[in-house]
Amino acid sequence: MKINKFKNISLLLGLLVLLFSACESIVDEKELENSTNIDGVELVVTQNSNGGNLLVLEMATPGVTGYWDYNLGIALTNKVEIIYPIPGTSTFTFTGTLGAEFFEKSIDVTIDVLDTPLDQDWYDLVSENTAAGKTWVFDGVGGDGGLWWFMSDPSNKPWSVWWNAGGECCPPSDVAGKMHFDLDGAANYTYYSSADGAGQKGSFVLDVTNQTLQVNDQIILGGVDGGGNGSGLFQIVELTEDKMVLYVPNAAWATGWTYVYVPAE
């Protein structure tokens, strides 16, 4: 009986060894390799005319994948068509993988004429004279009872008024200020804390598709006193030639905040 017991134990151990051996995963140790080098990545830009602003950006090298950064947005593809609103020389960057490593490569494009019309939102924001631009101010003054700078519902309800700060009692300290948008060589934003104050330069990104306005390196008019959220990103509620309404659902006090502007006279 003892001999049989030992045989059974040995057999069991042998089966366990075979079982664990069979369950071991097979590891493919083949290393990733580059399909080309950075010099071999071909970036091509096709314009609709000589110096025109309808562009096709293409990364034309097989086996390479990535995305385009065209300054006003990101295209998660090797090829994209855009209508670019800014005259002058602009740099577009492709970020991708060669197979074993990531890379960035850029190409410069000169635009001499805006011969393809822009989306109307661009003209509403910066005027038909895109290089000269357009200046915006608040649609009201402190204590006038109007709705132009107020606390709102944070659940994407920009016209649900929680506290009419500007129209009732407490306008922002830059209530008499202004802000200017233009496309003179770049998407330029200039903030003025008062009507006669010195301009502070920044930039902006208008996302027509997602209806957002991003202000970089400066605050928006009215953001100085906590109405903003620090990101510089605003939802566009309304944008016409005569009115611009912006909104953040996550303002400084865990509320929404709504801004209403009109063109300066």
Side-chain angles (χ1 to χ4, degrees), residues 12-252:
L12 178 60
L13 291 174
L15 290 172
L16 289 173
V17 170
L18 290 174
L19 178 63
F20 283 115
S21 298
C23 291
E24 289 183 0
S25 60
I26 299 174
V27 179
D28 184 358
E29 296 186 357
K30 182 179 179 181
E31 295 183 358
L32 293 173
E33 297 179 353
N34 289 340
S35 60
T36 184
N37 55 32
I38 295 179
D39 291 337
V41 176
E42 183 183 10
L43 302 183
V44 179
V45 178
T46 304
Q47 293 172 264
N48 63 303
S49 62
N50 186 21
N53 69 316
L54 177 61
L55 313 177
V56 176
L57 311 178
E58 181 178 8
M59 192 291 301
T61 303
V64 176
T65 58
Y67 65 89
W68 280 100
D69 181 347
Y70 53 93
N71 304 319
L72 303 176
I74 299 293
L76 303 177
T77 178
N78 289 355
K79 183 177 181 179
V80 61
E81 180 179 280
I82 62 172
I83 299 174
Y84 203 65
I86 304 171
T89 300
S90 297
T91 300
F92 304 100
T93 302
F94 186 85
T95 300
T97 175
L98 301 171
E101 61 184 298
F102 292 97
F103 74 96
E104 283 189 358
K105 191 170 184 177
S106 298
I107 187 170
D108 291 337
V109 181
T110 299
I111 297 171
D112 298 317
V113 58
L114 301 181
D115 54 358
T116 299
L118 309 179
D119 188 278
Q120 184 60 40
D121 282 351
W122 286 102
Y123 300 123
D124 290 336
L125 180 64
V126 303
S127 80
E128 296 284 340
N129 188 341
T130 59
K134 188 174 183 178
T135 300
W136 295 84
V137 297
F138 274 122
D139 186 21
V141 296
D144 63 357
L147 293 174
W148 47 270
W149 189 73
F150 57 90
M151 184 183 291
S152 50
D153 192 318
S155 58
N156 289 312
K157 296 178 180 178
W159 291 109
S160 179
V161 182
W162 281 16
W163 174 43
N164 186 10
E168 291 179 353
C169 71
C170 312
S173 57
D174 59 357
V175 60
K178 57 188 178 182
M179 53 188 180
H180 185 81
F181 297 85
D182 69 70
L183 299 176
D184 186 11
N188 303 303
Y189 170 76
T190 308
Y191 166 79
Y192 300 83
S193 61
S194 63
D196 301 320
Q200 301 174 49
K201 300 292 185 179
S203 63
F204 74 93
V205 176
L206 174 63
D207 187 334
V208 174
T209 301
N210 295 304
Q211 286 295 281
T212 62
L213 178 65
Q214 173 77 47
V215 172
N216 300 313
D217 305 319
Q218 289 298 332
I219 59 174
I220 205 162
L221 190 63
V224 65
D225 294 319
N229 59 9
S231 71
L233 181 64
F234 299 84
Q235 297 179 18
I236 299 174
V237 178
E238 180 180 343
L239 179 56
T240 66
E241 182 180 1
D242 302 317
K243 193 172 189 178
M244 177 165 60
V245 182
L246 304 179
Y247 168 73
V248 290
N250 51 346

